[in-house]
Amino acid sequence: MGKVIVVASGKGGTGKTTTVAALSSCLAVLGHKTLCIDFDSGMRNLDYALGMTDFTVMDYMDVISGRVDLDTACSEAPKIPNLSFLSAPADCNEDEVDVEKVKKMFDDIRENFDYCLVDAPPGIGSGFKLAHCNADISVIVTTGDFPSIRDAARAASVARELGVTKLRLLVNKVIPSNFRLIRTTVDDVIDTTGVRLLGLIPEDKYIFRALHDGLPLIMYKKRKSAYNFLDSARRLAGEEVPLYQF
Ligand code: ADP
Ligand code: MG
């Protein structure tokens, strides 16, 4: 039975979409059959992060409404075996979506994939709630600045209220000198959010480059960000992987 992993944050721009693309590519490279779904309708851009902008013809609303089956709606990533993608609708009012049908879609996904990564919209509104309606794990992404950390703490608490029992924290865009500058540490971030650490991802200009090249980040194997995402994916899959010290 597969696992549904929602990637969320309070604040926008922390790196949710980048994280979904990177973790799902890594899980696929590790041999797990993986699906990633864009749940950020209106502002969808997971297709960019995967280098799959030509694959947004069908979306999860087509599946929920019964217009197409799951298999037809999902597109296989051309450059990464084991990885599939399902787009968000260009526009959608989450308040009007039938939650039971979304839950059913995630149950079907569990039957067909080992992992499903969900790119949640920013904030803790109806889109966040819909994305979490049938989740096994919530990965909360934050950067090292205080507004982002406080919003991550709030997002974690709402995810718990929604019944998600397993939460993990990903600290992204880490610049160690910035942490020293404001005399904060990763332990402070863990304490404030109350969430167990999944991984630390450095600020890396190659993430910008990968987007521009239309290539998944995992293709840049020697980049610190790529192998830190790979380590985080291994931890998600249950392996014991020591934390990389910056
Ligand atoms: P979100 O989905 O949370 O809004 P994105 O994944 O779209 O955030 O990332 C926001 C911006 O930050 C994008 O331009 C992305 O390329 C960049 N970015 C994300 N993670 C990193 C990182 N570790 N280093 C450098 N840039 C990053
Ligand atoms: Mg995004």
Side-chain angles (χ1 to χ4, degrees):
M1 188 64 96
K3 286 204 163 58
V4 175
I5 302 170
V6 180
V7 175
S9 70
K11 208 164 175 285
T14 55
K16 293 177 292 302
T17 301
T18 305
T19 297
V20 169
L23 286 181
S24 51
S25 309
C26 291
L27 286 164
V29 165
L30 292 170
H32 305 288
K33 194 176 174 206
T34 304
L35 171 68
C36 52
I37 308 191
D38 198 338
F39 251 67
D40 193 357
S41 44
M43 304 290 257
R44 57 183 187 175
N45 52 23
L46 181 58
D47 54 315
Y48 262 113
L50 292 164
M52 290 181 70
T53 48
D54 295 338
F55 295 83
T56 55
V57 179
M58 278 177 266
D59 58 66
Y60 73 78
M61 280 305 286
D62 290 315
V63 179
I64 290 162
S65 65
R67 277 191 287 275
V68 291
D69 60 25
L70 181 65
D71 193 42
T72 311
C74 297
S75 306
E76 286 178 12
K79 297 189 178 92
I80 303 187
N82 293 325
L83 181 64
S84 297
F85 164 65
L86 180 56
S87 181
D91 200 12
C92 159
N93 179 352
E94 283 96 354
D95 287 321
E96 289 171 4
V97 176
D98 185 335
V99 181
E100 291 311 311
K101 288 188 176 161
V102 180
K103 286 185 183 169
K104 159 89 176 57
M105 176 180 75
F106 283 123
D107 283 339
D108 291 347
I109 288 169
R110 280 196 188 89
E111 305 264 323
N112 288 284
F113 293 89
D114 299 320
Y115 291 99
C116 170
L117 280 281
V118 183
D119 188 10
I124 48 171
S126 43
F128 179 96
K129 288 176 183 147
L130 189 66
H132 279 88
C133 71
N134 191 357
D136 298 297
I137 304 174
S138 183
V139 171
I140 306 289
V141 183
T142 184
T143 55
D145 59 289
F146 292 135
S148 174
I149 297 167
R150 188 174 63 186
D151 290 356
R154 180 82 189 105
S157 115
V158 176
R160 283 197 189 94
E161 282 165 25
L162 293 169
V164 184
T165 51
K166 189 167 174 182
L167 282 86
R168 292 290 179 269
L169 182 71
L170 196 89
V171 186
N172 188 27
K173 305 192 188 183
V174 174
I175 305 175
S177 58
N178 283 4
F179 274 70
R180 288 194 290 277
L181 194 67
I182 57 170
R183 292 196 184 81
T184 191
T185 63
V186 172
D187 284 346
D188 294 333
V189 184
I190 298 168
D191 288 348
T192 309
T193 56
V195 181
R196 189 170 148 193
L197 190 65
L198 176 69
L200 304 173
I201 310 296
E203 169 92 24
D204 183 359
K205 59 179 186 290
Y206 267 70
I207 289 183
F208 186 71
R209 162 94 188 263
L211 259 186
H212 177 267
D213 292 352
L215 287 173
L217 179 65
I218 191 76
M219 299 288 178
Y220 303 87
K221 288 193 179 65
K222 292 196 175 136
R223 299 303 303 176
K224 246 192 227 174
S225 57
Y227 60 73
N228 277 284
F229 271 123
L230 189 60
D231 283 355
S232 301
R234 287 206 156 100
R235 290 186 199 107
L236 262 185
E239 274 185 59
E240 293 274 330
V241 183
L243 202 64
Y244 179 84
Q245 300 295 322
F246 287 94

